[in-house]
Amino acid sequence: AFSSHHSLFLVVTVSLEIRQANGNKKPADTAFKQQRLSAVRPIFTPLAVGVTFLVVGIPFILIGQMVKVASGQIKELSMQYDGDGAAVKGCEIHASGAATTCTLSFTADDDMSAPVYVYYQLSNFYQNHRRYVKSYDKTQLLGGTEVTPLTTKNCAPLDKVGDLDLSPCGLIANSLFNDKILLSSKQQIDYDGTAWSTDAQKYAQPEGFKAAKGSDCKALGEGKEDCKSFECPLSSDEAAYYGCDAGQTYMYWYPNDADTQYLYESFPEVVSPMLGVNTDRFQVWMRAAALPKFRKLYATITSDIKSGEAIEFEVEANFDVSAFKGTKSLVLSTTTWFGGKNDFLGTCFLAVGSVCLAFGVGFLIKQCSKSRVLGDLKYLQ
């Protein structure tokens, strides 16, 4: 016991000597270090609180009304073509790989000024599931071709199909919405430009990929004798859909093609081998939605639509929603400075603004009718 106390005494003594040697440790006598900075201590009087509520409430009401007006100016047409409650018969499929074709016809109720955006809408599809969102490999999407243990881990549980490596692998890429939707009426449409410009920087064709117009593999360089050909459709509408010249023959070569199943092979309905992961439809799909009911941009109608005008789409349905009890819809919509149609946000602004305005007026009436002296000691008795 004596030894323990003696040791503790020596430690304290040494600590004191060190502190004395280093000088005084007291913080400098400044307002900042001694915590004497000036501070605002507002007194919440009924008048101040009432004015604060008014300052918040009035702008909220104005903004809410502006949002409601802007949302009301948006013209929108929607049609569900698969799932329970479908408005069109003949578009439903009940198994993966069971394709069918149908026609969707819209009639404009009002004039719709270009651009008119074409969306597909899915419900009950949880793209926000943690395992789903994590299932992709960034390096592979940027053109990497080497399959490593990290690639397999990132893409789990879907990195292979049979003995073939998937490129790109993962749940997001390999659940691509693959309904082929083509405009068949007289309006003009653009299938490009639907992805964000920043998204395009995240994707690249596999390293070594080559493509050229013509029918000779020699145009691709040495070692590409086993290249494949792609015939662009003769229809100008389909050619625009695939991003190629109508009737043109293309030659292309993918690395490790014998051991890999590429995106154009998994989804030939909507992806051409010339574009692969650079297809806008694929890049839009890869941006996972936050809610189980969502819309994704598919194309843009670039001509004005008059009231009463018919808009028709030929649909090749390939995406099965029966497995997850979901629905598919096609939506046509204009936009304003505010964006797409959203009545809920305007209603929220109006509700919050109205509550604040009511409280503000209430506090001011209280102050004017039954005001009292602040700090009156009789209220403490």
Side-chain angles (χ1 to χ4, degrees):
F2 174 79
S3 177
S4 300
H5 289 300
H6 184 65
S7 300
L8 180 59
F9 175 75
L10 290 176
V11 171
V12 172
T13 303
V14 171
S15 300
L16 290 173
E17 290 177 353
I18 292 174
R19 294 185 63 180
Q20 290 174 358
N22 292 336
N24 187 8
K25 295 297 183 179
K26 180 180 179 181
D29 188 19
T30 63
F32 177 76
K33 292 188 176 182
Q34 294 297 332
Q35 300 184 16
R36 294 196 302 266
L37 291 175
S38 58
V40 177
R41 297 180 178 85
I43 299 175
F44 295 101
T45 64
L47 178 62
V49 172
V51 171
T52 302
F53 273 119
L54 292 178
V55 168
V56 173
I58 293 174
F60 265 60
I61 290 176
L62 294 176
I63 294 172
Q65 186 60 34
M66 291 171 61
V67 171
K68 288 281 285 186
V69 171
S71 182
Q73 293 173 345
I74 294 173
K75 306 298 186 291
E76 185 174 290
L77 300 172
S78 178
M79 184 179 296
Q80 181 185 326
Y81 65 94
D82 199 353
D84 291 340
V88 179
K89 301 299 180 183
C91 283
E92 303 95 332
I93 58 175
H94 303 285
S96 179
T100 188
T101 58
C102 61
T103 301
L104 302 183
S105 299
F106 296 87
T107 301
D109 299 323
D110 301 285
D111 291 346
M112 302 177 74
S113 300
V116 179
Y117 296 101
V118 181
Y119 303 88
Y120 60 88
Q121 178 175 291
L122 298 180
S123 68
N124 208 38
F125 191 98
Y126 288 81
Q127 269 199 321
N128 60 349
H129 192 284
R130 183 171 179 269
R131 193 176 189 186
Y132 184 91
V133 172
K134 291 178 61 180
S135 184
Y136 74 96
D137 185 70
K138 182 179 179 180
T139 302
Q140 192 184 55
L141 292 173
L142 285 170
T145 57
E146 183 180 0
V147 179
T148 65
L150 182 60
T151 303
T152 303
K153 178 182 178 182
N154 289 340
C155 289
L158 191 56
D159 61 300
K160 282 180 173 289
V161 54
D163 295 329
L164 298 177
D165 296 319
L166 285 170
S167 179
C169 58
L171 291 173
I172 310 179
N174 289 282
S175 61
L176 174 65
F177 179 81
N178 60 335
D179 279 7
K180 183 178 178 181
I181 305 172
L182 292 174
L183 181 70
S184 57
S185 50
K186 64 180 182 179
Q187 295 82 17
Q188 300 296 315
I189 194 168
D190 185 3
Y191 296 100
D192 295 327
T194 56
W196 294 8
S197 58
T198 52
D199 283 349
Q201 303 170 11
K202 303 176 183 178
Y203 304 92
Q205 286 285 68
E207 295 176 6
F209 167 78
K210 297 290 184 181
K213 293 182 178 180
S215 56
D216 190 354
C217 289
K218 293 181 180 178
L220 304 179
E222 296 183 3
K224 308 295 188 298
E225 291 79 10
D226 58 343
C227 72
K228 298 179 180 180
S229 64
F230 172 71
E231 298 288 338
C232 188
L234 294 175
S235 166
S236 59
D237 293 333
E238 286 198 73
Y241 184 83
Y242 290 115
C244 57
D245 298 332
Q248 177 67 54
T249 299
Y250 293 84
M251 307 305 294
Y252 64 91
W253 185 88
Y254 278 82
N256 307 322
D257 195 33
D259 302 319
T260 308
Q261 180 169 309
Y262 286 99
L263 186 67
Y264 77 93
E265 296 172 307
S266 299
F267 303 100
E269 312 88 359
V270 294
V271 177
S272 76
M274 316 308 299
L275 294 177
V277 297
N278 290 322
T279 304
D280 279 9
R281 290 179 289 277
F282 172 72
Q283 295 178 5
V284 169
W285 177 260
M286 289 295 291
R287 182 172 286 277
L291 300 174
K293 184 177 181 180
F294 58 85
R295 296 177 181 179
K296 288 184 182 286
L297 185 60
Y298 197 82
T300 306
I301 295 176
T302 56
S303 57
D304 293 340
I305 300 174
K306 300 298 182 182
S307 177
E309 189 173 328
I311 312 103
E312 291 189 350
F313 294 89
E314 295 295 327
V315 178
E316 180 185 314
N318 300 291
F319 191 83
D320 178 30
V321 296
S322 64
F324 54 89
K325 299 180 180 179
T327 63
K328 290 187 295 188
S329 302
L330 192 65
V331 180
L332 279 62
S333 178
T334 59
T335 60
T336 63
W337 62 269
F338 170 69
K341 195 173 187 65
N342 191 338
D343 293 329
F344 177 75
L345 185 60
T347 302
C348 285
F349 269 98
L350 287 173
V352 173
S354 299
V355 171
C356 290
L357 186 62
F359 274 108
V361 172
F363 276 110
L364 291 180
I365 292 175
K366 171 66 171 63
Q367 177 68 10
C368 295
S369 61
K370 294 183 180 181
S371 61
R372 66 180 179 85
V373 178
L374 293 178
D376 193 341
L377 296 180
K378 71 178 182 179
Y379 291 100
L380 297 177
Q381 298 176 2

